[in-house]
Amino acid sequence: EAGVTQSPRYAVLQEGQAVSFWCDPISGHDTLYWYQQPRDQGPQLLVYFRDEAVIDNSQLPSDRFSAVRPKGTNSTLKIQSAKQGDTATYLCASSFPGTGMNERLFFGHGTKLSVL
Amino acid sequence: QQKVQQSPESLSVPEGGMASLNCTSSDRNFQYFWWYRQHSGEGPKALMSIFSDGDKKEGRFTAHLNKASLHVSLHIRDSQPSDSALYFCAASEWRNNAGAKLTFGGGTRLTVRP
């Protein structure tokens, strides 16, 4: 079974540039998460979807970040005008429906972003 | 203050030794606790979850939960060099029809010395 696929693996930008990250979750997983992980820190939730609906985007910096999952499968996270503070690894995860509180998240390898 | 706090920040044990990692939560909405492990260049991978008071053992890994104090620990016996990684404690709060929302701690970096 294929895991969670993310692309690109790396991105290097100048401040003010835009970037998009793409995620393909495990087939059949209805919940999709985007996390931001600064170097040597724990992942911090940005946004998550159940099918195509946004469940929680309270931690997403809405002025510059956006995320969509139009058909309830693949998802795109976009940063409009990157800042040096956005330097981090962006992780996508998915989970299988119906397991309740014991939902196990399956993570992709992440996209490592450097903003110069 | 972070809702999920881990200690120590880093830990070094000899091969074959016991590693003990700690995690404390400050939010009583958290009902499930997970341990995830992340090797360099990879995404985190789930090790085990615990919900009930007491111990839960899976192979060389034992998790312990004290719900009264919201303290969780992970003990790794017979540590191997391949266990060297970043370990995260994560707490889950369930929202009806909205899935589980996981909050991660800051991590413990474990090094197993050959």
Side-chain angles (χ1 to χ4, degrees), chain A residues 9 33 35 37 40 42-43 48 50 55-56 100-102 104-105 107-108, chain B residues 31-32 34 36 38 43-44 49 88 92 94-95 98-102 105 109:
Chain A
R9 287 296 299 269
Y33 303 80
Y35 281 84
Q37 184 179 22
D40 291 332
Y48 77 104
R50 169 69 59 87
I55 301 300
D56 188 332
M101 282 189 290
N102 197 23
R104 173 186 296 246
L105 268 59
F107 283 86
Chain B
Q31 297 167 300
Y32 251 91
W34 281 91
Y36 280 74
Q38 184 177 30
S49 65
F88 294 106
S92 175
W94 173 250
R95 300 172 162 189
K101 180 178 176 182
L102 271 188
R109 182 168 295 283

PDB file of all heavy atoms in Angstrom, chain A residues 9 33 35 37 40 42-43 48 50 55-56 100-102 104-105 107-108, chain B residues 31-32 34 36 38 43-44 49 88 92 94-95 98-102 105 109:
ATOM      1  N   ARG A   9      10.115  17.730  -2.290  1.00  0.00           N
ATOM      2  CA  ARG A   9      10.805  17.381  -1.047  1.00  0.00           C
ATOM      3  C   ARG A   9      11.490  18.591  -0.425  1.00  0.00           C
ATOM      4  O   ARG A   9      11.595  18.680   0.800  1.00  0.00           O
ATOM      5  CB  ARG A   9      11.859  16.300  -1.310  1.00  0.00           C
ATOM      6  CG  ARG A   9      11.300  14.915  -1.585  1.00  0.00           C
ATOM      7  CD  ARG A   9      10.559  14.335  -0.380  1.00  0.00           C
ATOM      8  NE  ARG A   9      11.401  14.179   0.795  1.00  0.00           N
ATOM      9  CZ  ARG A   9      12.090  13.083   1.094  1.00  0.00           C
ATOM     10  NH1 ARG A   9      12.076  12.049   0.280  1.00  0.00           N
ATOM     11  NH2 ARG A   9      12.810  13.015   2.198  1.00  0.00           N
ATOM     12  N   TYR A  33      -4.425  16.183   7.276  1.00  0.00           N
ATOM     13  CA  TYR A  33      -3.858  17.196   8.171  1.00  0.00           C
ATOM     14  C   TYR A  33      -2.626  17.838   7.529  1.00  0.00           C
ATOM     15  O   TYR A  33      -1.842  17.161   6.867  1.00  0.00           O
ATOM     16  CB  TYR A  33      -3.394  16.557   9.482  1.00  0.00           C
ATOM     17  CG  TYR A  33      -4.440  15.788  10.258  1.00  0.00           C
ATOM     18  CD1 TYR A  33      -4.800  14.485   9.903  1.00  0.00           C
ATOM     19  CD2 TYR A  33      -5.039  16.342  11.383  1.00  0.00           C
ATOM     20  CE1 TYR A  33      -5.738  13.773  10.624  1.00  0.00           C
ATOM     21  CE2 TYR A  33      -5.985  15.630  12.119  1.00  0.00           C
ATOM     22  CZ  TYR A  33      -6.320  14.357  11.729  1.00  0.00           C
ATOM     23  OH  TYR A  33      -7.256  13.653  12.464  1.00  0.00           O
ATOM     24  N   TYR A  35       0.684  19.933   9.000  1.00  0.00           N
ATOM     25  CA  TYR A  35       1.425  20.372  10.176  1.00  0.00           C
ATOM     26  C   TYR A  35       2.664  21.143   9.726  1.00  0.00           C
ATOM     27  O   TYR A  35       3.259  20.860   8.681  1.00  0.00           O
ATOM     28  CB  TYR A  35       1.898  19.174  11.012  1.00  0.00           C
ATOM     29  CG  TYR A  35       0.853  18.551  11.900  1.00  0.00           C
ATOM     30  CD1 TYR A  35      -0.036  17.592  11.412  1.00  0.00           C
ATOM     31  CD2 TYR A  35       0.768  18.898  13.241  1.00  0.00           C
ATOM     32  CE1 TYR A  35      -0.985  17.013  12.239  1.00  0.00           C
ATOM     33  CE2 TYR A  35      -0.177  18.314  14.084  1.00  0.00           C
ATOM     34  CZ  TYR A  35      -1.042  17.375  13.573  1.00  0.00           C
ATOM     35  OH  TYR A  35      -1.979  16.800  14.400  1.00  0.00           O
ATOM     36  N   GLN A  37       6.509  21.964  11.074  1.00  0.00           N
ATOM     37  CA  GLN A  37       7.496  21.513  12.061  1.00  0.00           C
ATOM     38  C   GLN A  37       8.779  22.317  11.919  1.00  0.00           C
ATOM     39  O   GLN A  37       9.608  22.033  11.040  1.00  0.00           O
ATOM     40  CB  GLN A  37       7.789  20.019  11.890  1.00  0.00           C
ATOM     41  CG  GLN A  37       8.727  19.482  12.961  1.00  0.00           C
ATOM     42  CD  GLN A  37       9.023  17.995  12.831  1.00  0.00           C
ATOM     43  OE1 GLN A  37       8.880  17.408  11.769  1.00  0.00           O
ATOM     44  NE2 GLN A  37       9.419  17.387  13.919  1.00  0.00           N
ATOM     45  N   ASP A  40      13.955  20.821  14.879  1.00  0.00           N
ATOM     46  CA  ASP A  40      14.117  20.301  16.238  1.00  0.00           C
ATOM     47  C   ASP A  40      12.956  20.671  17.171  1.00  0.00           C
ATOM     48  O   ASP A  40      13.155  20.816  18.393  1.00  0.00           O
ATOM     49  CB  ASP A  40      15.444  20.782  16.844  1.00  0.00           C
ATOM     50  CG  ASP A  40      16.647  20.148  16.149  1.00  0.00           C
ATOM     51  OD1 ASP A  40      16.488  19.013  15.636  1.00  0.00           O
ATOM     52  OD2 ASP A  40      17.709  20.778  16.100  1.00  0.00           O
ATOM     53  N   GLY A  42       8.417  20.056  17.803  1.00  0.00           N
ATOM     54  CA  GLY A  42       7.298  19.181  17.487  1.00  0.00           C
ATOM     55  C   GLY A  42       6.416  19.755  16.394  1.00  0.00           C
ATOM     56  O   GLY A  42       6.378  20.966  16.197  1.00  0.00           O
ATOM     57  N   PRO A  43       5.707  18.897  15.667  1.00  0.00           N
ATOM     58  CA  PRO A  43       4.768  19.377  14.637  1.00  0.00           C
ATOM     59  C   PRO A  43       3.646  20.203  15.262  1.00  0.00           C
ATOM     60  O   PRO A  43       3.147  19.861  16.334  1.00  0.00           O
ATOM     61  CB  PRO A  43       4.218  18.083  14.027  1.00  0.00           C
ATOM     62  CG  PRO A  43       5.210  17.025  14.383  1.00  0.00           C
ATOM     63  CD  PRO A  43       5.766  17.422  15.697  1.00  0.00           C
ATOM     64  N   TYR A  48      -6.920  21.061   9.243  1.00  0.00           N
ATOM     65  CA  TYR A  48      -7.258  19.705   8.846  1.00  0.00           C
ATOM     66  C   TYR A  48      -8.642  19.633   8.232  1.00  0.00           C
ATOM     67  O   TYR A  48      -9.505  20.479   8.500  1.00  0.00           O
ATOM     68  CB  TYR A  48      -7.016  18.684   9.948  1.00  0.00           C
ATOM     69  CG  TYR A  48      -8.002  18.570  11.076  1.00  0.00           C
ATOM     70  CD1 TYR A  48      -8.915  17.516  11.121  1.00  0.00           C
ATOM     71  CD2 TYR A  48      -7.980  19.458  12.147  1.00  0.00           C
ATOM     72  CE1 TYR A  48      -9.783  17.361  12.192  1.00  0.00           C
ATOM     73  CE2 TYR A  48      -8.838  19.303  13.215  1.00  0.00           C
ATOM     74  CZ  TYR A  48      -9.733  18.254  13.250  1.00  0.00           C
ATOM     75  OH  TYR A  48     -10.596  18.107  14.318  1.00  0.00           O
ATOM     76  N   ARG A  50     -11.955  17.038   6.834  1.00  0.00           N
ATOM     77  CA  ARG A  50     -12.688  15.777   6.751  1.00  0.00           C
ATOM     78  C   ARG A  50     -13.366  15.817   5.399  1.00  0.00           C
ATOM     79  O   ARG A  50     -14.230  16.660   5.148  1.00  0.00           O
ATOM     80  CB  ARG A  50     -13.688  15.662   7.896  1.00  0.00           C
ATOM     81  CG  ARG A  50     -14.696  14.529   7.789  1.00  0.00           C
ATOM     82  CD  ARG A  50     -14.120  13.143   7.937  1.00  0.00           C
ATOM     83  NE  ARG A  50     -13.432  12.882   9.179  1.00  0.00           N
ATOM     84  CZ  ARG A  50     -14.018  12.449  10.303  1.00  0.00           C
ATOM     85  NH1 ARG A  50     -15.315  12.276  10.358  1.00  0.00           N
ATOM     86  NH2 ARG A  50     -13.289  12.196  11.353  1.00  0.00           N
ATOM     87  N   ILE A  55     -12.171  21.412   8.878  1.00  0.00           N
ATOM     88  CA  ILE A  55     -12.669  21.181  10.229  1.00  0.00           C
ATOM     89  C   ILE A  55     -12.106  22.223  11.195  1.00  0.00           C
ATOM     90  O   ILE A  55     -12.812  22.744  12.049  1.00  0.00           O
ATOM     91  CB  ILE A  55     -12.318  19.765  10.714  1.00  0.00           C
ATOM     92  CG1 ILE A  55     -12.934  18.716   9.776  1.00  0.00           C
ATOM     93  CG2 ILE A  55     -12.765  19.560  12.153  1.00  0.00           C
ATOM     94  CD1 ILE A  55     -14.437  18.780   9.678  1.00  0.00           C
ATOM     95  N   ASP A  56     -10.820  22.507  11.054  1.00  0.00           N
ATOM     96  CA  ASP A  56     -10.165  23.453  11.967  1.00  0.00           C
ATOM     97  C   ASP A  56      -9.017  24.122  11.227  1.00  0.00           C
ATOM     98  O   ASP A  56      -8.094  23.445  10.784  1.00  0.00           O
ATOM     99  CB  ASP A  56      -9.652  22.716  13.199  1.00  0.00           C
ATOM    100  CG  ASP A  56      -9.133  23.648  14.290  1.00  0.00           C
ATOM    101  OD1 ASP A  56      -8.667  24.761  13.970  1.00  0.00           O
ATOM    102  OD2 ASP A  56      -9.179  23.254  15.470  1.00  0.00           O
ATOM    103  N   GLY A 100     -12.332   6.711  15.834  1.00  0.00           N
ATOM    104  CA  GLY A 100     -12.578   7.487  17.038  1.00  0.00           C
ATOM    105  C   GLY A 100     -11.338   8.187  17.554  1.00  0.00           C
ATOM    106  O   GLY A 100     -10.458   8.576  16.790  1.00  0.00           O
ATOM    107  N   MET A 101     -11.268   8.299  18.870  1.00  0.00           N
ATOM    108  CA  MET A 101     -10.162   9.029  19.485  1.00  0.00           C
ATOM    109  C   MET A 101      -8.832   8.358  19.219  1.00  0.00           C
ATOM    110  O   MET A 101      -7.785   8.977  19.337  1.00  0.00           O
ATOM    111  CB  MET A 101     -10.388   9.133  20.994  1.00  0.00           C
ATOM    112  CG  MET A 101     -11.389  10.184  21.399  1.00  0.00           C
ATOM    113  SD  MET A 101     -11.392  10.410  23.182  1.00  0.00           S
ATOM    114  CE  MET A 101     -12.132   8.873  23.719  1.00  0.00           C
ATOM    115  N   ASN A 102      -8.879   7.081  18.881  1.00  0.00           N
ATOM    116  CA  ASN A 102      -7.640   6.347  18.673  1.00  0.00           C
ATOM    117  C   ASN A 102      -7.161   6.435  17.231  1.00  0.00           C
ATOM    118  O   ASN A 102      -6.528   5.513  16.727  1.00  0.00           O
ATOM    119  CB  ASN A 102      -7.834   4.883  19.075  1.00  0.00           C
ATOM    120  CG  ASN A 102      -6.512   4.179  19.285  1.00  0.00           C
ATOM    121  OD1 ASN A 102      -5.502   4.821  19.540  1.00  0.00           O
ATOM    122  ND2 ASN A 102      -6.512   2.868  19.145  1.00  0.00           N
ATOM    123  N   ARG A 104      -4.969   6.922  14.255  1.00  0.00           N
ATOM    124  CA  ARG A 104      -3.531   6.927  14.020  1.00  0.00           C
ATOM    125  C   ARG A 104      -3.265   7.765  12.791  1.00  0.00           C
ATOM    126  O   ARG A 104      -3.901   7.557  11.749  1.00  0.00           O
ATOM    127  CB  ARG A 104      -3.047   5.505  13.804  1.00  0.00           C
ATOM    128  CG  ARG A 104      -1.586   5.356  13.388  1.00  0.00           C
ATOM    129  CD  ARG A 104      -1.282   3.919  13.069  1.00  0.00           C
ATOM    130  NE  ARG A 104      -1.440   3.094  14.260  1.00  0.00           N
ATOM    131  CZ  ARG A 104      -0.449   2.456  14.861  1.00  0.00           C
ATOM    132  NH1 ARG A 104       0.769   2.560  14.375  1.00  0.00           N
ATOM    133  NH2 ARG A 104      -0.666   1.723  15.926  1.00  0.00           N
ATOM    134  N   LEU A 105      -2.346   8.716  12.900  1.00  0.00           N
ATOM    135  CA  LEU A 105      -1.985   9.526  11.750  1.00  0.00           C
ATOM    136  C   LEU A 105      -0.825   8.904  11.003  1.00  0.00           C
ATOM    137  O   LEU A 105       0.142   8.425  11.615  1.00  0.00           O
ATOM    138  CB  LEU A 105      -1.590  10.944  12.204  1.00  0.00           C
ATOM    139  CG  LEU A 105      -2.711  11.987  12.244  1.00  0.00           C
ATOM    140  CD1 LEU A 105      -3.831  11.559  13.163  1.00  0.00           C
ATOM    141  CD2 LEU A 105      -2.160  13.337  12.633  1.00  0.00           C
ATOM    142  N   PHE A 107       2.034   9.898   8.325  1.00  0.00           N
ATOM    143  CA  PHE A 107       2.683  11.094   7.808  1.00  0.00           C
ATOM    144  C   PHE A 107       3.455  10.808   6.530  1.00  0.00           C
ATOM    145  O   PHE A 107       4.010   9.719   6.336  1.00  0.00           O
ATOM    146  CB  PHE A 107       3.675  11.651   8.832  1.00  0.00           C
ATOM    147  CG  PHE A 107       3.033  12.394   9.971  1.00  0.00           C
ATOM    148  CD1 PHE A 107       2.583  11.716  11.090  1.00  0.00           C
ATOM    149  CD2 PHE A 107       2.884  13.772   9.914  1.00  0.00           C
ATOM    150  CE1 PHE A 107       1.987  12.402  12.139  1.00  0.00           C
ATOM    151  CE2 PHE A 107       2.299  14.469  10.961  1.00  0.00           C
ATOM    152  CZ  PHE A 107       1.849  13.774  12.074  1.00  0.00           C
ATOM    153  N   GLY A 108       3.525  11.834   5.670  1.00  0.00           N
ATOM    154  CA  GLY A 108       4.449  11.803   4.549  1.00  0.00           C
ATOM    155  C   GLY A 108       5.841  12.235   5.007  1.00  0.00           C
ATOM    156  O   GLY A 108       6.053  12.545   6.189  1.00  0.00           O
TER     157      GLY A 108
ATOM    158  N   GLN B  31      -7.703  12.915  25.994  1.00  0.00           N
ATOM    159  CA  GLN B  31      -8.145  11.624  26.505  1.00  0.00           C
ATOM    160  C   GLN B  31      -7.318  10.455  25.993  1.00  0.00           C
ATOM    161  O   GLN B  31      -7.344   9.385  26.581  1.00  0.00           O
ATOM    162  CB  GLN B  31      -9.619  11.418  26.145  1.00  0.00           C
ATOM    163  CG  GLN B  31     -10.514  12.459  26.810  1.00  0.00           C
ATOM    164  CD  GLN B  31     -11.910  12.465  26.211  1.00  0.00           C
ATOM    165  OE1 GLN B  31     -12.090  12.696  25.035  1.00  0.00           O
ATOM    166  NE2 GLN B  31     -12.895  12.189  27.037  1.00  0.00           N
ATOM    167  N   TYR B  32      -6.660  10.652  24.873  1.00  0.00           N
ATOM    168  CA  TYR B  32      -5.814   9.601  24.318  1.00  0.00           C
ATOM    169  C   TYR B  32      -4.417  10.169  24.172  1.00  0.00           C
ATOM    170  O   TYR B  32      -4.250  11.343  23.847  1.00  0.00           O
ATOM    171  CB  TYR B  32      -6.312   9.196  22.922  1.00  0.00           C
ATOM    172  CG  TYR B  32      -6.941   7.842  22.850  1.00  0.00           C
ATOM    173  CD1 TYR B  32      -8.310   7.672  23.024  1.00  0.00           C
ATOM    174  CD2 TYR B  32      -6.178   6.718  22.594  1.00  0.00           C
ATOM    175  CE1 TYR B  32      -8.898   6.435  22.955  1.00  0.00           C
ATOM    176  CE2 TYR B  32      -6.761   5.471  22.523  1.00  0.00           C
ATOM    177  CZ  TYR B  32      -8.110   5.331  22.698  1.00  0.00           C
ATOM    178  OH  TYR B  32      -8.682   4.095  22.630  1.00  0.00           O
ATOM    179  N   TRP B  34      -0.497   9.392  22.465  1.00  0.00           N
ATOM    180  CA  TRP B  34       0.271   8.640  21.484  1.00  0.00           C
ATOM    181  C   TRP B  34       1.758   8.927  21.680  1.00  0.00           C
ATOM    182  O   TRP B  34       2.145  10.006  22.125  1.00  0.00           O
ATOM    183  CB  TRP B  34      -0.104   9.099  20.071  1.00  0.00           C
ATOM    184  CG  TRP B  34      -1.390   8.546  19.539  1.00  0.00           C
ATOM    185  CD1 TRP B  34      -2.631   9.079  19.648  1.00  0.00           C
ATOM    186  CD2 TRP B  34      -1.536   7.337  18.792  1.00  0.00           C
ATOM    187  NE1 TRP B  34      -3.540   8.286  19.017  1.00  0.00           N
ATOM    188  CE2 TRP B  34      -2.895   7.205  18.493  1.00  0.00           C
ATOM    189  CE3 TRP B  34      -0.636   6.362  18.357  1.00  0.00           C
ATOM    190  CZ2 TRP B  34      -3.397   6.130  17.765  1.00  0.00           C
ATOM    191  CZ3 TRP B  34      -1.136   5.291  17.634  1.00  0.00           C
ATOM    192  CH2 TRP B  34      -2.491   5.179  17.343  1.00  0.00           C
ATOM    193  N   TYR B  36       4.983   8.961  19.055  1.00  0.00           N
ATOM    194  CA  TYR B  36       5.446   8.901  17.675  1.00  0.00           C
ATOM    195  C   TYR B  36       6.973   8.982  17.674  1.00  0.00           C
ATOM    196  O   TYR B  36       7.577   9.600  18.553  1.00  0.00           O
ATOM    197  CB  TYR B  36       4.890  10.076  16.856  1.00  0.00           C
ATOM    198  CG  TYR B  36       3.466   9.904  16.383  1.00  0.00           C
ATOM    199  CD1 TYR B  36       2.398  10.024  17.266  1.00  0.00           C
ATOM    200  CD2 TYR B  36       3.186   9.606  15.055  1.00  0.00           C
ATOM    201  CE1 TYR B  36       1.091   9.860  16.835  1.00  0.00           C
ATOM    202  CE2 TYR B  36       1.880   9.435  14.607  1.00  0.00           C
ATOM    203  CZ  TYR B  36       0.845   9.563  15.512  1.00  0.00           C
ATOM    204  OH  TYR B  36      -0.449   9.393  15.071  1.00  0.00           O
ATOM    205  N   GLN B  38      10.378   9.797  15.056  1.00  0.00           N
ATOM    206  CA  GLN B  38      10.768  10.402  13.785  1.00  0.00           C
ATOM    207  C   GLN B  38      12.266  10.246  13.565  1.00  0.00           C
ATOM    208  O   GLN B  38      13.071  10.818  14.298  1.00  0.00           O
ATOM    209  CB  GLN B  38      10.391  11.888  13.760  1.00  0.00           C
ATOM    210  CG  GLN B  38      10.660  12.578  12.444  1.00  0.00           C
ATOM    211  CD  GLN B  38      10.206  14.031  12.447  1.00  0.00           C
ATOM    212  OE1 GLN B  38      10.203  14.696  13.475  1.00  0.00           O
ATOM    213  NE2 GLN B  38       9.803  14.549  11.290  1.00  0.00           N
ATOM    214  N   GLY B  43       8.953  11.488   8.044  1.00  0.00           N
ATOM    215  CA  GLY B  43       7.847  11.972   8.842  1.00  0.00           C
ATOM    216  C   GLY B  43       7.706  11.136  10.105  1.00  0.00           C
ATOM    217  O   GLY B  43       8.229  10.024  10.185  1.00  0.00           O
ATOM    218  N   PRO B  44       7.008  11.654  11.122  1.00  0.00           N
ATOM    219  CA  PRO B  44       6.783  10.866  12.338  1.00  0.00           C
ATOM    220  C   PRO B  44       5.990   9.597  12.036  1.00  0.00           C
ATOM    221  O   PRO B  44       5.134   9.595  11.147  1.00  0.00           O
ATOM    222  CB  PRO B  44       5.958  11.819  13.227  1.00  0.00           C
ATOM    223  CG  PRO B  44       6.227  13.182  12.684  1.00  0.00           C
ATOM    224  CD  PRO B  44       6.422  13.005  11.216  1.00  0.00           C
ATOM    225  N   SER B  49      -0.396   3.831  21.299  1.00  0.00           N
ATOM    226  CA  SER B  49      -1.294   4.740  21.989  1.00  0.00           C
ATOM    227  C   SER B  49      -1.664   4.144  23.336  1.00  0.00           C
ATOM    228  O   SER B  49      -1.532   2.939  23.555  1.00  0.00           O
ATOM    229  CB  SER B  49      -2.574   4.974  21.168  1.00  0.00           C
ATOM    230  OG  SER B  49      -3.318   3.777  21.055  1.00  0.00           O
ATOM    231  N   PHE B  88       8.130  11.858  20.012  1.00  0.00           N
ATOM    232  CA  PHE B  88       7.101  12.834  20.355  1.00  0.00           C
ATOM    233  C   PHE B  88       5.968  12.175  21.120  1.00  0.00           C
ATOM    234  O   PHE B  88       5.496  11.099  20.754  1.00  0.00           O
ATOM    235  CB  PHE B  88       6.519  13.482  19.101  1.00  0.00           C
ATOM    236  CG  PHE B  88       7.490  14.332  18.341  1.00  0.00           C
ATOM    237  CD1 PHE B  88       8.024  13.889  17.143  1.00  0.00           C
ATOM    238  CD2 PHE B  88       7.880  15.566  18.828  1.00  0.00           C
ATOM    239  CE1 PHE B  88       8.930  14.661  16.442  1.00  0.00           C
ATOM    240  CE2 PHE B  88       8.786  16.348  18.135  1.00  0.00           C
ATOM    241  CZ  PHE B  88       9.312  15.887  16.940  1.00  0.00           C
ATOM    242  N   SER B  92      -4.587  13.546  22.191  1.00  0.00           N
ATOM    243  CA  SER B  92      -5.713  13.607  21.270  1.00  0.00           C
ATOM    244  C   SER B  92      -6.979  14.048  21.986  1.00  0.00           C
ATOM    245  O   SER B  92      -7.306  13.519  23.055  1.00  0.00           O
ATOM    246  CB  SER B  92      -5.919  12.217  20.661  1.00  0.00           C
ATOM    247  OG  SER B  92      -7.055  12.180  19.842  1.00  0.00           O
ATOM    248  N   TRP B  94     -11.063  14.413  21.195  1.00  0.00           N
ATOM    249  CA  TRP B  94     -12.049  13.957  20.222  1.00  0.00           C
ATOM    250  C   TRP B  94     -13.143  14.999  20.052  1.00  0.00           C
ATOM    251  O   TRP B  94     -13.648  15.539  21.022  1.00  0.00           O
ATOM    252  CB  TRP B  94     -12.659  12.633  20.678  1.00  0.00           C
ATOM    253  CG  TRP B  94     -13.793  12.173  19.815  1.00  0.00           C
ATOM    254  CD1 TRP B  94     -15.103  12.133  20.143  1.00  0.00           C
ATOM    255  CD2 TRP B  94     -13.700  11.694  18.483  1.00  0.00           C
ATOM    256  NE1 TRP B  94     -15.834  11.643  19.101  1.00  0.00           N
ATOM    257  CE2 TRP B  94     -15.002  11.370  18.056  1.00  0.00           C
ATOM    258  CE3 TRP B  94     -12.634  11.510  17.590  1.00  0.00           C
ATOM    259  CZ2 TRP B  94     -15.268  10.851  16.797  1.00  0.00           C
ATOM    260  CZ3 TRP B  94     -12.911  10.997  16.332  1.00  0.00           C
ATOM    261  CH2 TRP B  94     -14.214  10.686  15.950  1.00  0.00           C
ATOM    262  N   ARG B  95     -13.450  15.257  18.809  1.00  0.00           N
ATOM    263  CA  ARG B  95     -14.548  16.170  18.516  1.00  0.00           C
ATOM    264  C   ARG B  95     -15.592  15.398  17.725  1.00  0.00           C
ATOM    265  O   ARG B  95     -15.271  14.816  16.691  1.00  0.00           O
ATOM    266  CB  ARG B  95     -14.041  17.341  17.684  1.00  0.00           C
ATOM    267  CG  ARG B  95     -12.947  18.142  18.375  1.00  0.00           C
ATOM    268  CD  ARG B  95     -12.371  19.154  17.419  1.00  0.00           C
ATOM    269  NE  ARG B  95     -11.645  20.191  18.125  1.00  0.00           N
ATOM    270  CZ  ARG B  95     -11.189  21.291  17.549  1.00  0.00           C
ATOM    271  NH1 ARG B  95     -11.406  21.501  16.274  1.00  0.00           N
ATOM    272  NH2 ARG B  95     -10.525  22.185  18.249  1.00  0.00           N
ATOM    273  N   ALA B  98     -15.843  15.250  13.857  1.00  0.00           N
ATOM    274  CA  ALA B  98     -14.756  16.091  13.352  1.00  0.00           C
ATOM    275  C   ALA B  98     -13.405  15.449  13.525  1.00  0.00           C
ATOM    276  O   ALA B  98     -12.387  16.090  13.321  1.00  0.00           O
ATOM    277  CB  ALA B  98     -14.781  17.455  14.041  1.00  0.00           C
ATOM    278  N   GLY B  99     -13.382  14.200  13.924  1.00  0.00           N
ATOM    279  CA  GLY B  99     -12.106  13.510  14.007  1.00  0.00           C
ATOM    280  C   GLY B  99     -11.283  13.895  15.214  1.00  0.00           C
ATOM    281  O   GLY B  99     -11.657  14.753  16.001  1.00  0.00           O
ATOM    282  N   ALA B 100     -10.160  13.244  15.329  1.00  0.00           N
ATOM    283  CA  ALA B 100      -9.262  13.481  16.454  1.00  0.00           C
ATOM    284  C   ALA B 100      -8.285  14.597  16.102  1.00  0.00           C
ATOM    285  O   ALA B 100      -7.769  14.644  14.994  1.00  0.00           O
ATOM    286  CB  ALA B 100      -8.503  12.211  16.793  1.00  0.00           C
ATOM    287  N   LYS B 101      -8.058  15.488  17.051  1.00  0.00           N
ATOM    288  CA  LYS B 101      -7.100  16.579  16.851  1.00  0.00           C
ATOM    289  C   LYS B 101      -5.893  16.308  17.738  1.00  0.00           C
ATOM    290  O   LYS B 101      -6.007  16.276  18.961  1.00  0.00           O
ATOM    291  CB  LYS B 101      -7.746  17.911  17.229  1.00  0.00           C
ATOM    292  CG  LYS B 101      -6.832  19.114  17.052  1.00  0.00           C
ATOM    293  CD  LYS B 101      -7.562  20.397  17.412  1.00  0.00           C
ATOM    294  CE  LYS B 101      -6.622  21.594  17.322  1.00  0.00           C
ATOM    295  NZ  LYS B 101      -7.313  22.856  17.712  1.00  0.00           N
ATOM    296  N   LEU B 102      -4.732  16.071  17.119  1.00  0.00           N
ATOM    297  CA  LEU B 102      -3.526  15.721  17.862  1.00  0.00           C
ATOM    298  C   LEU B 102      -2.683  16.951  18.137  1.00  0.00           C
ATOM    299  O   LEU B 102      -2.411  17.747  17.238  1.00  0.00           O
ATOM    300  CB  LEU B 102      -2.669  14.738  17.052  1.00  0.00           C
ATOM    301  CG  LEU B 102      -2.921  13.244  17.196  1.00  0.00           C
ATOM    302  CD1 LEU B 102      -1.846  12.469  16.462  1.00  0.00           C
ATOM    303  CD2 LEU B 102      -2.949  12.827  18.653  1.00  0.00           C
ATOM    304  N   GLY B 105       4.016  17.324  21.631  1.00  0.00           N
ATOM    305  CA  GLY B 105       4.996  17.952  22.497  1.00  0.00           C
ATOM    306  C   GLY B 105       6.223  18.367  21.702  1.00  0.00           C
ATOM    307  O   GLY B 105       6.296  18.156  20.490  1.00  0.00           O
ATOM    308  N   ARG B 109      15.098  13.898  22.027  1.00  0.00           N
ATOM    309  CA  ARG B 109      16.031  13.277  21.087  1.00  0.00           C
ATOM    310  C   ARG B 109      16.790  12.163  21.807  1.00  0.00           C
ATOM    311  O   ARG B 109      17.526  12.412  22.760  1.00  0.00           O
ATOM    312  CB  ARG B 109      17.014  14.293  20.521  1.00  0.00           C
ATOM    313  CG  ARG B 109      17.971  13.675  19.497  1.00  0.00           C
ATOM    314  CD  ARG B 109      18.749  14.701  18.717  1.00  0.00           C
ATOM    315  NE  ARG B 109      17.909  15.541  17.875  1.00  0.00           N
ATOM    316  CZ  ARG B 109      17.375  15.168  16.703  1.00  0.00           C
ATOM    317  NH1 ARG B 109      17.587  13.945  16.238  1.00  0.00           N
ATOM    318  NH2 ARG B 109      16.648  16.009  16.002  1.00  0.00           N
TER     319      ARG B 109
END
